Amino acid sequence: MSESGKPARTVVDAASASARILDAAESLFYREGTRAVGVDAVVKQAGVNKMSLYRQFSSKDELLRQYLKRREAMFWGYFDGSVGQHPDDAAAALRQYFSDVTARATRDGYRGCPFVNVAAEYPEPDHFARRFVAEHKRQLLARLTALAAAAGARDPAALARALALLIEGLYTASQTYGTDSPVMAAVPQVADLLIAQALGRDPA
């Protein structure tokens, strides 16, 4: 209480408010969908008011953009941390990534790839969210192609496409079969077979 007897107002600086709003949006968007979640739900979870949200983000679309950017930074952090465990062996780096991404996709509460989820919500191909997702997936395919080439694949582009398709299948299977399904455990094995075939070797 203030000296006047009125409830004291909590002062939240701009950086803190922005982080709280984006944290709330990230949690809600990922769990419930970006179109299903309104601004009211975001401000309620963040513990701020609408005026505070619109001071930090000009619109819900801007909040969606920042959500996608944050999720992309997280993804590349995971990806680089995974393949970086084998800096001198690209084939081992690819196998490590599939082991790690499968582990993430089988955790409790996993709701699939946030980019796939967003793409499914927006049917308009020119929507900024769809374009963002398409560019993200293009970059992933390029990284997979570079790793396939470094590993010595006879056709790096073909291996990268196959691995990209396997990744998308993993994301979908986590939601259709379930994160605890034995189907999920097959993904690293399938990746190993694809890599070995592309390199003309026996599976690891």
Side-chain angles (χ1 to χ4, degrees), residues 76-163:
W76 289 120
Y78 291 142
F79 186 92
D80 291 338
S82 186
V83 301
Q85 295 179 57
H86 302 279
D88 301 317
D89 188 340
L94 285 169
R95 288 192 292 268
Q96 183 69 53
Y97 176 69
F98 277 89
S99 175
D100 292 345
V101 73
T102 300
R104 285 200 303 278
T106 52
R107 291 175 182 168
D108 289 342
Y110 184 73
R111 286 283 294 125
C113 171
F115 306 110
V116 173
N117 296 347
V118 165
E121 288 190 87
Y122 297 90
E124 310 91 340
D126 291 333
H127 191 280
F128 76 86
R130 285 287 296 272
R131 294 198 303 270
F132 187 102
V133 171
E135 175 59 19
H136 170 77
K137 297 297 183 180
R138 186 197 66 76
Q139 291 179 27
L140 175 58
L141 185 59
R143 291 289 300 274
L144 292 172
T145 303
L147 284 166
R154 288 171 292 194
D155 187 342
L159 175 57
R161 289 193 295 267
L163 294 176

Side-chain angles (χ1 to χ4, degrees), residues 102 105-108 110 173-185:
T102 300
T106 52
R107 291 175 182 168
D108 289 342
Y110 184 73
S174 72
Q175 303 306 298
T176 54
Y177 285 95
T179 56
D180 59 349
S181 170
V183 169
M184 304 291 285

